[in-house]
Amino acid sequence: MSSLSLSLSTWPIPRGTEHAFGAIGNTQTCTAQGFFNQLLLGGPLYNLMLAIYYLLIGKYNLTEEEIAKRYEKYMHVTAILPTLGFAIAGLPLTLYNNANLWCWIASYPEESESMSGENNDIPCERGHGSWLYRWLFFYAPLWFIIAAITIIMIMLTTSIRTEEKRFIEMQRQHRSNSSAGNRRGIPTGSNASKDPRVETLNLERSRKMFFQALFYVSAFYATW
């Protein structure tokens, strides 16, 4: 819905608005577009939930079933409630007005407030304090999400690196014990010969999980 809303561009802006090419709407259509545009915040929030999902699997070794049972519903609530809450709050505050390319959080008339929130001589009819609400409802949460995903990726990378070093050390120790046993003529047993392959397999799975998370979050950075 938000993508469709953005694709309408200036059409929902009230007809006759200066410097708004193709504006054929009214206050109601502009408010509706602004509401759906604000719902875009749900995308970054779900990206954050996905990063947390990878962290739970990669660092804390939880299974998909455990995550679904214990955390999934809270992830959905964390992503959906702020998205809907901020979007709905903009309605009684009359925040959704012409924002040049589309309708979003903006003051009306446009000249009534500066980008820093300073009041001009023209009275503000709608969207008073829009500069502040843009930060409260969108920019601040977005920067928080970017910072949180960055921290999560660092934690995941550190965890994978630590696990890799531990596996390598276990393989070295096993080979050392096997060599010592062979020199003394002591059989090492089938389990000892199988352990390195198991450890290597687990390490490969961890690496694949890490790169999958990295590529997905990199796409998030590129789009936001």
Side-chain angles (χ1 to χ4, degrees), residues 18-51:
E18 294 184 2
H19 312 300
F21 177 78
I24 57 174
N26 51 41
T27 300
Q28 288 71 33
T29 59
C30 190
T31 298
Q33 185 190 39
F35 173 84
F36 286 111
N37 285 350
Q38 177 59 34
L39 292 178
L40 282 170
L41 182 63
L45 279 170
Y46 264 108
N47 275 274
L48 175 58
M49 296 304 105
L50 182 63

PDB file of all heavy atoms in Angstrom, residues 18-51:
ATOM      1  N   GLU A  18       0.235  25.546  -5.372  1.00  0.00           N
ATOM      2  CA  GLU A  18       1.345  26.097  -6.147  1.00  0.00           C
ATOM      3  C   GLU A  18       2.530  25.136  -6.160  1.00  0.00           C
ATOM      4  O   GLU A  18       2.817  24.463  -5.171  1.00  0.00           O
ATOM      5  CB  GLU A  18       1.790  27.444  -5.558  1.00  0.00           C
ATOM      6  CG  GLU A  18       0.747  28.545  -5.685  1.00  0.00           C
ATOM      7  CD  GLU A  18       1.279  29.874  -5.183  1.00  0.00           C
ATOM      8  OE1 GLU A  18       2.458  29.923  -4.774  1.00  0.00           O
ATOM      9  OE2 GLU A  18       0.510  30.852  -5.181  1.00  0.00           O
ATOM     10  N   HIS A  19       3.215  25.099  -7.299  1.00  0.00           N
ATOM     11  CA  HIS A  19       4.433  24.304  -7.495  1.00  0.00           C
ATOM     12  C   HIS A  19       4.182  22.802  -7.325  1.00  0.00           C
ATOM     13  O   HIS A  19       5.114  22.049  -7.054  1.00  0.00           O
ATOM     14  CB  HIS A  19       5.536  24.734  -6.519  1.00  0.00           C
ATOM     15  CG  HIS A  19       5.750  26.212  -6.455  1.00  0.00           C
ATOM     16  ND1 HIS A  19       6.120  26.961  -7.553  1.00  0.00           N
ATOM     17  CD2 HIS A  19       5.630  27.092  -5.416  1.00  0.00           C
ATOM     18  CE1 HIS A  19       6.238  28.232  -7.198  1.00  0.00           C
ATOM     19  NE2 HIS A  19       5.931  28.344  -5.905  1.00  0.00           N
ATOM     20  N   ALA A  20       2.948  22.359  -7.462  1.00  0.00           N
ATOM     21  CA  ALA A  20       2.623  20.930  -7.377  1.00  0.00           C
ATOM     22  C   ALA A  20       2.050  20.498  -8.723  1.00  0.00           C
ATOM     23  O   ALA A  20       0.838  20.573  -8.954  1.00  0.00           O
ATOM     24  CB  ALA A  20       1.646  20.654  -6.245  1.00  0.00           C
ATOM     25  N   PHE A  21       2.904  20.056  -9.621  1.00  0.00           N
ATOM     26  CA  PHE A  21       2.479  19.675 -10.964  1.00  0.00           C
ATOM     27  C   PHE A  21       1.615  18.411 -10.907  1.00  0.00           C
ATOM     28  O   PHE A  21       1.969  17.435 -10.254  1.00  0.00           O
ATOM     29  CB  PHE A  21       3.698  19.409 -11.853  1.00  0.00           C
ATOM     30  CG  PHE A  21       3.355  18.946 -13.234  1.00  0.00           C
ATOM     31  CD1 PHE A  21       2.928  19.847 -14.193  1.00  0.00           C
ATOM     32  CD2 PHE A  21       3.439  17.602 -13.575  1.00  0.00           C
ATOM     33  CE1 PHE A  21       2.601  19.430 -15.465  1.00  0.00           C
ATOM     34  CE2 PHE A  21       3.122  17.170 -14.845  1.00  0.00           C
ATOM     35  CZ  PHE A  21       2.698  18.089 -15.796  1.00  0.00           C
ATOM     36  N   GLY A  22       0.473  18.464 -11.575  1.00  0.00           N
ATOM     37  CA  GLY A  22      -0.400  17.301 -11.646  1.00  0.00           C
ATOM     38  C   GLY A  22      -1.282  17.104 -10.435  1.00  0.00           C
ATOM     39  O   GLY A  22      -1.930  16.050 -10.323  1.00  0.00           O
ATOM     40  N   ALA A  23      -1.346  18.072  -9.532  1.00  0.00           N
ATOM     41  CA  ALA A  23      -2.171  17.931  -8.332  1.00  0.00           C
ATOM     42  C   ALA A  23      -3.650  17.991  -8.709  1.00  0.00           C
ATOM     43  O   ALA A  23      -4.120  18.985  -9.271  1.00  0.00           O
ATOM     44  CB  ALA A  23      -1.839  19.036  -7.338  1.00  0.00           C
ATOM     45  N   ILE A  24      -4.388  16.928  -8.403  1.00  0.00           N
ATOM     46  CA  ILE A  24      -5.811  16.872  -8.746  1.00  0.00           C
ATOM     47  C   ILE A  24      -6.656  16.422  -7.545  1.00  0.00           C
ATOM     48  O   ILE A  24      -7.829  16.100  -7.707  1.00  0.00           O
ATOM     49  CB  ILE A  24      -6.053  15.914  -9.931  1.00  0.00           C
ATOM     50  CG1 ILE A  24      -5.529  14.512  -9.605  1.00  0.00           C
ATOM     51  CG2 ILE A  24      -5.414  16.444 -11.204  1.00  0.00           C
ATOM     52  CD1 ILE A  24      -5.861  13.474 -10.665  1.00  0.00           C
ATOM     53  N   GLY A  25      -6.073  16.389  -6.365  1.00  0.00           N
ATOM     54  CA  GLY A  25      -6.781  15.856  -5.210  1.00  0.00           C
ATOM     55  C   GLY A  25      -7.395  16.926  -4.340  1.00  0.00           C
ATOM     56  O   GLY A  25      -7.653  18.052  -4.772  1.00  0.00           O
ATOM     57  N   ASN A  26      -7.618  16.580  -3.089  1.00  0.00           N
ATOM     58  CA  ASN A  26      -8.161  17.500  -2.101  1.00  0.00           C
ATOM     59  C   ASN A  26      -7.532  17.169  -0.739  1.00  0.00           C
ATOM     60  O   ASN A  26      -6.622  16.338  -0.655  1.00  0.00           O
ATOM     61  CB  ASN A  26      -9.682  17.417  -2.044  1.00  0.00           C
ATOM     62  CG  ASN A  26     -10.178  15.982  -1.879  1.00  0.00           C
ATOM     63  OD1 ASN A  26      -9.611  15.204  -1.113  1.00  0.00           O
ATOM     64  ND2 ASN A  26     -11.238  15.630  -2.612  1.00  0.00           N
ATOM     65  N   THR A  27      -8.024  17.810   0.300  1.00  0.00           N
ATOM     66  CA  THR A  27      -7.436  17.589   1.622  1.00  0.00           C
ATOM     67  C   THR A  27      -7.580  16.130   2.062  1.00  0.00           C
ATOM     68  O   THR A  27      -6.656  15.560   2.677  1.00  0.00           O
ATOM     69  CB  THR A  27      -8.118  18.498   2.660  1.00  0.00           C
ATOM     70  OG1 THR A  27      -7.935  19.868   2.264  1.00  0.00           O
ATOM     71  CG2 THR A  27      -7.507  18.302   4.039  1.00  0.00           C
ATOM     72  N   GLN A  28      -8.694  15.495   1.731  1.00  0.00           N
ATOM     73  CA  GLN A  28      -8.912  14.112   2.145  1.00  0.00           C
ATOM     74  C   GLN A  28      -7.958  13.150   1.433  1.00  0.00           C
ATOM     75  O   GLN A  28      -7.389  12.241   2.062  1.00  0.00           O
ATOM     76  CB  GLN A  28     -10.364  13.705   1.864  1.00  0.00           C
ATOM     77  CG  GLN A  28     -11.389  14.326   2.791  1.00  0.00           C
ATOM     78  CD  GLN A  28     -11.587  15.827   2.541  1.00  0.00           C
ATOM     79  OE1 GLN A  28     -11.473  16.288   1.392  1.00  0.00           O
ATOM     80  NE2 GLN A  28     -11.875  16.568   3.592  1.00  0.00           N
ATOM     81  N   THR A  29      -7.786  13.334   0.124  1.00  0.00           N
ATOM     82  CA  THR A  29      -6.874  12.441  -0.600  1.00  0.00           C
ATOM     83  C   THR A  29      -5.432  12.657  -0.149  1.00  0.00           C
ATOM     84  O   THR A  29      -4.645  11.706  -0.070  1.00  0.00           O
ATOM     85  CB  THR A  29      -6.975  12.670  -2.112  1.00  0.00           C
ATOM     86  OG1 THR A  29      -6.652  14.049  -2.422  1.00  0.00           O
ATOM     87  CG2 THR A  29      -8.375  12.356  -2.619  1.00  0.00           C
ATOM     88  N   CYS A  30      -5.089  13.888   0.174  1.00  0.00           N
ATOM     89  CA  CYS A  30      -3.741  14.187   0.643  1.00  0.00           C
ATOM     90  C   CYS A  30      -3.514  13.538   2.016  1.00  0.00           C
ATOM     91  O   CYS A  30      -2.446  12.970   2.275  1.00  0.00           O
ATOM     92  CB  CYS A  30      -3.552  15.698   0.726  1.00  0.00           C
ATOM     93  SG  CYS A  30      -1.844  16.225   1.029  1.00  0.00           S
ATOM     94  N   THR A  31      -4.510  13.613   2.875  1.00  0.00           N
ATOM     95  CA  THR A  31      -4.402  12.986   4.191  1.00  0.00           C
ATOM     96  C   THR A  31      -4.250  11.477   4.068  1.00  0.00           C
ATOM     97  O   THR A  31      -3.438  10.858   4.773  1.00  0.00           O
ATOM     98  CB  THR A  31      -5.645  13.321   5.033  1.00  0.00           C
ATOM     99  OG1 THR A  31      -5.716  14.739   5.225  1.00  0.00           O
ATOM    100  CG2 THR A  31      -5.584  12.628   6.391  1.00  0.00           C
ATOM    101  N   ALA A  32      -5.016  10.869   3.155  1.00  0.00           N
ATOM    102  CA  ALA A  32      -4.930   9.423   2.958  1.00  0.00           C
ATOM    103  C   ALA A  32      -3.547   9.021   2.461  1.00  0.00           C
ATOM    104  O   ALA A  32      -2.956   8.043   2.949  1.00  0.00           O
ATOM    105  CB  ALA A  32      -6.001   8.963   1.973  1.00  0.00           C
ATOM    106  N   GLN A  33      -3.010   9.773   1.501  1.00  0.00           N
ATOM    107  CA  GLN A  33      -1.671   9.444   0.994  1.00  0.00           C
ATOM    108  C   GLN A  33      -0.623   9.614   2.082  1.00  0.00           C
ATOM    109  O   GLN A  33       0.282   8.783   2.227  1.00  0.00           O
ATOM    110  CB  GLN A  33      -1.320  10.310  -0.207  1.00  0.00           C
ATOM    111  CG  GLN A  33       0.006   9.917  -0.848  1.00  0.00           C
ATOM    112  CD  GLN A  33       0.487  10.907  -1.887  1.00  0.00           C
ATOM    113  OE1 GLN A  33       0.356  12.120  -1.715  1.00  0.00           O
ATOM    114  NE2 GLN A  33       1.050  10.398  -2.978  1.00  0.00           N
ATOM    115  N   GLY A  34      -0.733  10.685   2.842  1.00  0.00           N
ATOM    116  CA  GLY A  34       0.222  10.905   3.925  1.00  0.00           C
ATOM    117  C   GLY A  34       0.182   9.794   4.957  1.00  0.00           C
ATOM    118  O   GLY A  34       1.227   9.361   5.456  1.00  0.00           O
ATOM    119  N   PHE A  35      -1.016   9.287   5.250  1.00  0.00           N
ATOM    120  CA  PHE A  35      -1.158   8.187   6.209  1.00  0.00           C
ATOM    121  C   PHE A  35      -0.438   6.941   5.702  1.00  0.00           C
ATOM    122  O   PHE A  35       0.331   6.306   6.435  1.00  0.00           O
ATOM    123  CB  PHE A  35      -2.646   7.896   6.431  1.00  0.00           C
ATOM    124  CG  PHE A  35      -2.908   6.683   7.273  1.00  0.00           C
ATOM    125  CD1 PHE A  35      -2.892   6.766   8.655  1.00  0.00           C
ATOM    126  CD2 PHE A  35      -3.174   5.452   6.678  1.00  0.00           C
ATOM    127  CE1 PHE A  35      -3.140   5.651   9.441  1.00  0.00           C
ATOM    128  CE2 PHE A  35      -3.421   4.334   7.458  1.00  0.00           C
ATOM    129  CZ  PHE A  35      -3.405   4.432   8.838  1.00  0.00           C
ATOM    130  N   PHE A  36      -0.682   6.572   4.442  1.00  0.00           N
ATOM    131  CA  PHE A  36      -0.052   5.363   3.901  1.00  0.00           C
ATOM    132  C   PHE A  36       1.449   5.551   3.708  1.00  0.00           C
ATOM    133  O   PHE A  36       2.226   4.591   3.847  1.00  0.00           O
ATOM    134  CB  PHE A  36      -0.721   4.966   2.589  1.00  0.00           C
ATOM    135  CG  PHE A  36      -2.081   4.363   2.778  1.00  0.00           C
ATOM    136  CD1 PHE A  36      -3.216   5.047   2.370  1.00  0.00           C
ATOM    137  CD2 PHE A  36      -2.229   3.130   3.381  1.00  0.00           C
ATOM    138  CE1 PHE A  36      -4.479   4.503   2.559  1.00  0.00           C
ATOM    139  CE2 PHE A  36      -3.483   2.571   3.574  1.00  0.00           C
ATOM    140  CZ  PHE A  36      -4.622   3.264   3.160  1.00  0.00           C
ATOM    141  N   ASN A  37       1.883   6.759   3.395  1.00  0.00           N
ATOM    142  CA  ASN A  37       3.323   7.006   3.289  1.00  0.00           C
ATOM    143  C   ASN A  37       4.013   6.828   4.639  1.00  0.00           C
ATOM    144  O   ASN A  37       5.131   6.315   4.712  1.00  0.00           O
ATOM    145  CB  ASN A  37       3.586   8.414   2.764  1.00  0.00           C
ATOM    146  CG  ASN A  37       3.315   8.543   1.273  1.00  0.00           C
ATOM    147  OD1 ASN A  37       3.112   7.545   0.581  1.00  0.00           O
ATOM    148  ND2 ASN A  37       3.312   9.763   0.773  1.00  0.00           N
ATOM    149  N   GLN A  38       3.340   7.233   5.709  1.00  0.00           N
ATOM    150  CA  GLN A  38       3.924   7.080   7.044  1.00  0.00           C
ATOM    151  C   GLN A  38       4.078   5.606   7.414  1.00  0.00           C
ATOM    152  O   GLN A  38       4.973   5.243   8.182  1.00  0.00           O
ATOM    153  CB  GLN A  38       3.044   7.804   8.073  1.00  0.00           C
ATOM    154  CG  GLN A  38       3.494   7.670   9.510  1.00  0.00           C
ATOM    155  CD  GLN A  38       4.902   8.203   9.758  1.00  0.00           C
ATOM    156  OE1 GLN A  38       5.326   9.169   9.136  1.00  0.00           O
ATOM    157  NE2 GLN A  38       5.629   7.575  10.671  1.00  0.00           N
ATOM    158  N   LEU A  39       3.251   4.746   6.841  1.00  0.00           N
ATOM    159  CA  LEU A  39       3.345   3.314   7.119  1.00  0.00           C
ATOM    160  C   LEU A  39       4.633   2.699   6.584  1.00  0.00           C
ATOM    161  O   LEU A  39       4.938   1.546   6.891  1.00  0.00           O
ATOM    162  CB  LEU A  39       2.138   2.576   6.519  1.00  0.00           C
ATOM    163  CG  LEU A  39       0.773   2.861   7.156  1.00  0.00           C
ATOM    164  CD1 LEU A  39      -0.317   2.090   6.424  1.00  0.00           C
ATOM    165  CD2 LEU A  39       0.765   2.502   8.644  1.00  0.00           C
ATOM    166  N   LEU A  40       5.388   3.460   5.803  1.00  0.00           N
ATOM    167  CA  LEU A  40       6.676   2.966   5.318  1.00  0.00           C
ATOM    168  C   LEU A  40       7.626   2.599   6.457  1.00  0.00           C
ATOM    169  O   LEU A  40       8.556   1.815   6.266  1.00  0.00           O
ATOM    170  CB  LEU A  40       7.344   4.023   4.418  1.00  0.00           C
ATOM    171  CG  LEU A  40       6.824   4.149   2.992  1.00  0.00           C
ATOM    172  CD1 LEU A  40       7.425   5.386   2.330  1.00  0.00           C
ATOM    173  CD2 LEU A  40       7.152   2.906   2.181  1.00  0.00           C
ATOM    174  N   LEU A  41       7.397   3.165   7.619  1.00  0.00           N
ATOM    175  CA  LEU A  41       8.258   2.859   8.764  1.00  0.00           C
ATOM    176  C   LEU A  41       8.232   1.368   9.099  1.00  0.00           C
ATOM    177  O   LEU A  41       9.188   0.841   9.680  1.00  0.00           O
ATOM    178  CB  LEU A  41       7.819   3.678   9.982  1.00  0.00           C
ATOM    179  CG  LEU A  41       8.643   3.528  11.260  1.00  0.00           C
ATOM    180  CD1 LEU A  41      10.080   4.013  11.027  1.00  0.00           C
ATOM    181  CD2 LEU A  41       8.008   4.300  12.408  1.00  0.00           C
ATOM    182  N   GLY A  42       7.164   0.691   8.716  1.00  0.00           N
ATOM    183  CA  GLY A  42       7.070  -0.735   8.991  1.00  0.00           C
ATOM    184  C   GLY A  42       8.146  -1.551   8.293  1.00  0.00           C
ATOM    185  O   GLY A  42       8.574  -2.594   8.812  1.00  0.00           O
ATOM    186  N   GLY A  43       8.607  -1.090   7.128  1.00  0.00           N
ATOM    187  CA  GLY A  43       9.659  -1.808   6.406  1.00  0.00           C
ATOM    188  C   GLY A  43      10.961  -1.886   7.189  1.00  0.00           C
ATOM    189  O   GLY A  43      11.480  -2.995   7.426  1.00  0.00           O
ATOM    190  N   PRO A  44      11.529  -0.759   7.616  1.00  0.00           N
ATOM    191  CA  PRO A  44      12.746  -0.816   8.441  1.00  0.00           C
ATOM    192  C   PRO A  44      12.557  -1.579   9.741  1.00  0.00           C
ATOM    193  O   PRO A  44      13.471  -2.278  10.188  1.00  0.00           O
ATOM    194  CB  PRO A  44      13.051   0.669   8.707  1.00  0.00           C
ATOM    195  CG  PRO A  44      12.427   1.391   7.576  1.00  0.00           C
ATOM    196  CD  PRO A  44      11.202   0.620   7.223  1.00  0.00           C
ATOM    197  N   LEU A  45      11.379  -1.473  10.355  1.00  0.00           N
ATOM    198  CA  LEU A  45      11.155  -2.197  11.607  1.00  0.00           C
ATOM    199  C   LEU A  45      11.188  -3.706  11.390  1.00  0.00           C
ATOM    200  O   LEU A  45      11.749  -4.454  12.200  1.00  0.00           O
ATOM    201  CB  LEU A  45       9.811  -1.788  12.212  1.00  0.00           C
ATOM    202  CG  LEU A  45       9.822  -0.469  12.995  1.00  0.00           C
ATOM    203  CD1 LEU A  45       8.408  -0.038  13.349  1.00  0.00           C
ATOM    204  CD2 LEU A  45      10.665  -0.592  14.263  1.00  0.00           C
ATOM    205  N   TYR A  46      10.629  -4.169  10.284  1.00  0.00           N
ATOM    206  CA  TYR A  46      10.682  -5.607  10.002  1.00  0.00           C
ATOM    207  C   TYR A  46      12.086  -6.046   9.614  1.00  0.00           C
ATOM    208  O   TYR A  46      12.477  -7.190   9.850  1.00  0.00           O
ATOM    209  CB  TYR A  46       9.672  -5.976   8.927  1.00  0.00           C
ATOM    210  CG  TYR A  46       8.361  -6.477   9.510  1.00  0.00           C
ATOM    211  CD1 TYR A  46       7.219  -5.699   9.458  1.00  0.00           C
ATOM    212  CD2 TYR A  46       8.293  -7.718  10.131  1.00  0.00           C
ATOM    213  CE1 TYR A  46       6.021  -6.140  10.016  1.00  0.00           C
ATOM    214  CE2 TYR A  46       7.114  -8.173  10.687  1.00  0.00           C
ATOM    215  CZ  TYR A  46       5.978  -7.386  10.631  1.00  0.00           C
ATOM    216  OH  TYR A  46       4.808  -7.837  11.195  1.00  0.00           O
ATOM    217  N   ASN A  47      12.858  -5.160   9.007  1.00  0.00           N
ATOM    218  CA  ASN A  47      14.268  -5.466   8.758  1.00  0.00           C
ATOM    219  C   ASN A  47      15.014  -5.651  10.076  1.00  0.00           C
ATOM    220  O   ASN A  47      15.894  -6.507  10.192  1.00  0.00           O
ATOM    221  CB  ASN A  47      14.923  -4.364   7.926  1.00  0.00           C
ATOM    222  CG  ASN A  47      14.713  -4.556   6.450  1.00  0.00           C
ATOM    223  OD1 ASN A  47      15.470  -5.257   5.771  1.00  0.00           O
ATOM    224  ND2 ASN A  47      13.666  -3.940   5.920  1.00  0.00           N
ATOM    225  N   LEU A  48      14.679  -4.823  11.061  1.00  0.00           N
ATOM    226  CA  LEU A  48      15.286  -4.970  12.380  1.00  0.00           C
ATOM    227  C   LEU A  48      14.901  -6.311  13.005  1.00  0.00           C
ATOM    228  O   LEU A  48      15.737  -6.992  13.605  1.00  0.00           O
ATOM    229  CB  LEU A  48      14.845  -3.816  13.280  1.00  0.00           C
ATOM    230  CG  LEU A  48      15.298  -3.881  14.746  1.00  0.00           C
ATOM    231  CD1 LEU A  48      16.812  -3.943  14.849  1.00  0.00           C
ATOM    232  CD2 LEU A  48      14.743  -2.696  15.527  1.00  0.00           C
ATOM    233  N   MET A  49      13.630  -6.692  12.858  1.00  0.00           N
ATOM    234  CA  MET A  49      13.197  -7.979  13.397  1.00  0.00           C
ATOM    235  C   MET A  49      13.926  -9.134  12.710  1.00  0.00           C
ATOM    236  O   MET A  49      14.268 -10.138  13.345  1.00  0.00           O
ATOM    237  CB  MET A  49      11.681  -8.145  13.217  1.00  0.00           C
ATOM    238  CG  MET A  49      10.825  -7.148  13.996  1.00  0.00           C
ATOM    239  SD  MET A  49      11.149  -7.120  15.776  1.00  0.00           S
ATOM    240  CE  MET A  49      12.079  -5.575  15.911  1.00  0.00           C
ATOM    241  N   LEU A  50      14.175  -8.985  11.411  1.00  0.00           N
ATOM    242  CA  LEU A  50      14.900 -10.028  10.697  1.00  0.00           C
ATOM    243  C   LEU A  50      16.338 -10.133  11.192  1.00  0.00           C
ATOM    244  O   LEU A  50      16.882 -11.235  11.352  1.00  0.00           O
ATOM    245  CB  LEU A  50      14.887  -9.742   9.198  1.00  0.00           C
ATOM    246  CG  LEU A  50      15.571 -10.786   8.311  1.00  0.00           C
ATOM    247  CD1 LEU A  50      14.866 -12.129   8.408  1.00  0.00           C
ATOM    248  CD2 LEU A  50      15.621 -10.320   6.859  1.00  0.00           C
ATOM    249  N   ALA A  51      16.960  -8.982  11.464  1.00  0.00           N
ATOM    250  CA  ALA A  51      18.321  -8.996  11.999  1.00  0.00           C
ATOM    251  C   ALA A  51      18.352  -9.672  13.366  1.00  0.00           C
ATOM    252  O   ALA A  51      19.276 -10.440  13.675  1.00  0.00           O
ATOM    253  CB  ALA A  51      18.861  -7.565  12.097  1.00  0.00           C
TER     254      ALA A  51
END
